[in-house]
Amino acid sequence: MKMSDLHWPADVDVIQDESADVIANKLARTVAGKLTEALGRKSRACMAVSGGSTPKAFFQALSQLPVEWSRVDVTLADERWVDVDADASNERLVRAALLQGPAANARLIGLKQPHDTANAGQPIAEEALAEMEWPLDVLVLGMGNDGHTASLFPDAPEIGEALDSSRPARCIAMHPPSQAVPRISLSRRVLAEAGWTAVHLKGTDKLETLERAFADLANVHAMPIRAFLGDGAQVYWSP
């Protein structure tokens, strides 16, 4: 399957290149521009980013760009309930790859809190997130081959609550049986309110997942990524 074989709504913008580094740099420049635009309108800008292996090059490119980073808040779309120094920690990745060079001046609002359980830590994460100026100016999501994004997993018992846009909570503890550890995720409500959203993908397997997602955008519980593929979302993809 090739990107050109896919069919999607006309308002979905697809940026693609054979080089993952080219895509990472294009995304970084766009995000830097969006943050700078936001800082022209208000005192602080805020963005949420995702973890995993795909965004590392994007983080490294973005970290070197001339944004007024001291006025930028960074949080995570989701986090595994592991120590922030663990290899699986998204916060660890962000600190190592993004909060370097000029971007070291940004303020990181982490989701993992000093509690043994995600349920106990969620209220404290909620308090930490309240320090940011909402809504998000920039959101960069990934996608799993089951159609999850952030930690909105289809098999999580909490998925109905997490996808309910009427719920006031900004984050929710998630316990998907398919995952080794509990998670905490931003809710659909705050993710959907972001001023600008990109879905950053790498690999031909993700094209097959996109094909399934675009086939029935209304069925968000089966593939939560569908909630973020309309309304002018941008997809950045490389093989």
Side-chain angles (χ1 to χ4, degrees):
M1 180 179 290
K2 298 180 293 184
M3 183 66 81
S4 59
D5 296 331
L6 295 181
H7 302 282
W8 46 63
D11 62 348
V12 176
D13 187 16
V14 179
I15 297 91
Q16 60 179 308
D17 194 274
E18 291 297 313
S19 168
D21 287 338
V22 168
I23 287 297
N25 279 278
K26 285 184 177 181
L27 178 57
R29 290 193 297 270
T30 301
V31 167
K34 296 294 182 181
L35 291 173
T36 299
E37 288 175 13
L39 290 172
R41 301 189 304 268
K42 56 184 186 175
S43 60
R44 298 191 68 80
C46 59
M47 72 172 175
V49 296
S50 300
S53 59
T54 298
K56 184 176 180 180
F58 156 62
F59 289 160
Q60 292 171 332
L62 180 59
S63 72
Q64 301 305 310
L65 294 181
V67 176
E68 196 172 349
W69 288 106
S70 62
R71 295 170 57 202
V72 175
D73 291 331
V74 179
T75 193
L76 294 148
D78 69 314
E79 182 61 277
R80 298 175 181 86
W81 206 256
V82 297
D83 188 86
V84 294
D85 293 324
D87 289 344
S89 168
N90 290 338
E91 179 173 329
R92 181 177 184 269
L93 171 65
V94 168
R95 290 188 183 279
L98 176 56
L99 300 186
Q100 301 293 324
N105 291 315
R107 179 174 67 164
L108 177 64
I109 306 293
L111 296 180
K112 174 62 171 69
Q113 302 298 326
H115 276 280
D116 292 339
T117 69
N119 284 340
Q122 185 275 337
I124 301 178
E126 193 78 26
E127 291 179 8
L129 291 171
E131 298 178 11
M132 296 169 56
E133 292 188 21
W134 296 85
L136 293 168
D137 298 296
V138 170
L139 170 63
V140 181
L141 292 170
M143 180 187 70
N145 284 331
D146 60 354
H148 86 268
T149 192
S151 278
L152 304 178
F153 285 88
D155 66 330
E158 304 90 351
I159 191 62
E161 180 181 355
L163 291 175
D164 185 348
S165 296
S166 69
R167 298 270 182 170
R170 292 190 174 102
C171 65
I172 184 169
M174 306 290 286
H175 298 82
S178 59
Q179 301 303 303
V181 296
R183 308 281 189 113
I184 190 164
S185 180
L186 296 187
S187 68
R188 176 185 181 176
R189 179 181 67 83
V190 297
L191 294 171
E193 289 175 350
W196 181 82
T197 298
V199 182
H200 185 198
L201 306 174
K202 182 169 65 175
T204 55
D205 56 327
K206 297 300 174 70
L207 296 187
E208 297 176 1
T209 306
L210 273 178
E211 179 82 353
R212 290 187 287 118
F214 282 121
D216 185 8
L217 287 177
N219 189 3
V220 296
H221 284 76
M223 297 183 75
I225 187 63
R226 289 169 170 156
F228 311 102
L229 288 176
D231 298 326
Q234 291 194 321
V235 177
Y236 286 75
W237 177 82
S238 63

